Structure formats: structure tokens, C-alpha cells
Amino acid sequence: MKGGEYPLAISKQRKEEVQAQYADWVKRSEAVILVEYSGAKMKSIDAIRAKIRETGGEFHIVKNTLVRRVFADSGMDVPADYLVKSTAISFAFKDPASTAKALTDATKGNEFVKVKGGLMGGKSLSPAQVKSLSEMPPLPVMRATLLGVLQAPASKLVRTLAEPARGLAAVIKAHSESAQASA
């Protein structure tokens, strides 16, 4: 090899290692969001990575041919235009909404990153659906809201059942106080 020349292809063993890593990330992810990045500086990519990691996710630049095989092996139907040009994937391991929001926030105002789409529950998501996902409240907020909705009827029932007893207690107390006052 002459100075400055590097082989463009990676070895078969390295491809298998990378493919195995992609497969692990896809298997552990609740959702994946694919983005196109063009002209992005490494500093910007690192900032996106840091933001995604705060939500318990990962953000990686991927090789289209290898990740296409991983999706096919996992039985996921990915639209062909999602895996063209430059591709980076955000893997949501814990909370898809938080990861989508972090990605949206981290890329806001950056023309070099464009959401191609995503996958969640084995189904493909359009860029608009990814945007909607990013606008959802985080999982802990959703759980608290659901718990509040579930608890409201039960607490209302308890209050309704307790009300007659409270009324009876008030009547007995008033009667006893009037009996004491007259005695």
C-alpha cells in the first residue's frame, strides 16, 4: 500500500462483528429512528449521541447494507428509501418517546440531519409519526397520568360510600350535643 491509501472494504470477520452488534441493538430496542446526515461534523454527531444517551438510548452511524440484512433477519419490513445515502440510527432501549424527543431537540435547526422514518413494534413509522412520537410525554408522565385516571373512580367510590356514614355521625353528634346542653 502506498502512503495515504486505505482499503475501502472491511474484512468479512469485521462485517460479522458489526452485524452482530447491530442485531443486538435492534433486538433490545423498543423503537429505532433512522436519520440521514449529510455534511455533519463529528462534534455535532457527538452532541446528538450525548443527548440520546441521556434517555437510555444509543445513536450510531451505520452501514446500510449490513443494517438492511439485520432488519431482514429480524423480520422487519423497512421501506427501501430508509436505507439509502448516509444513515444513522437512534436506538430507543427504554422510552421511545423520550428518545425521539431528544433526537428532535438535538437536531433542531440543523439542516444536515433529516429524519427518514423509524420502526416500532415491527411496524415502520413515517417521519410525521416519528415527530408525533417525539411530542408524546415521557413514559413516567404517561404512567402517572394513567394511574391517576385509574385511581379517580376508586377514590370517588370510597367518598360516595363514606358520605352516608359521615352524615349519620354528624346527626348523632348534634343529637348528643343537644342532649348534653339540655341536661
Side-chain angles (χ1 to χ4, degrees):
M1 240 186 256
K2 294 180 183 172
E5 288 183 21
Y6 297 97
L8 294 176
I10 58 176
S11 71
K12 184 176 180 178
Q13 180 184 352
R14 180 69 185 132
K15 281 182 186 177
E16 289 170 359
E17 290 169 5
V18 170
Q19 198 167 335
Q21 181 64 67
Y22 291 171
D24 177 55
W25 288 334
V26 167
K27 186 175 96 181
R28 292 188 305 136
S29 293
E30 292 183 23
V32 294
I33 302 167
L34 294 88
V35 298
E36 180 182 328
Y37 65 94
S38 52
K41 303 220 180 318
M42 208 55 207
K43 184 177 178 182
S44 300
I45 297 291
D46 287 341
I48 295 169
R49 265 192 193 115
K51 198 86 165 146
I52 300 294
R53 281 194 179 123
E54 289 174 12
T55 68
E58 291 283 336
F59 182 82
H60 295 281
I61 294 171
V62 296
K63 200 159 177 51
N64 287 333
T65 53
L66 297 180
V67 83
R68 186 177 290 120
R69 285 185 205 144
V70 168
F71 285 137
D73 292 347
S74 300
M76 296 179 167
D77 186 29
V78 181
D81 59 332
Y82 285 11
L83 295 171
V84 293
K85 300 184 181 178
S86 58
T87 305
I89 298 181
S90 179
F91 298 93
F93 298 130
K94 295 180 181 174
D95 182 2
S98 292
T99 301
K101 181 168 178 41
L103 179 65
T104 302
D105 291 349
T107 59
K108 197 171 283 182
N110 296 325
E111 309 81 41
F112 62 83
V113 176
K114 181 182 102 185
V115 174
K116 295 180 183 184
L119 295 164
M120 191 164 97
K123 307 280 187 232
S124 66
L125 302 173
S126 69
Q129 289 171 315
V130 171
K131 183 174 178 8
S132 294
L133 180 63
S134 74
E135 294 167 351
M136 289 179 67
L139 196 54
V141 173
M142 293 288 282
R143 284 182 180 145
T145 303
L146 179 62
L147 188 59
V149 167
L150 293 174
Q151 284 181 332
S155 61
K156 190 173 182 180
L157 177 64
V158 168
R159 281 195 304 273
T160 303
L161 292 174
E163 194 57 42
R166 254 191 244 120
L168 180 61
V171 168
I172 292 171
K173 182 179 178 193
H175 181 67
S176 100
E177 286 174 355
S178 71
Q180 285 177 353
S182 62

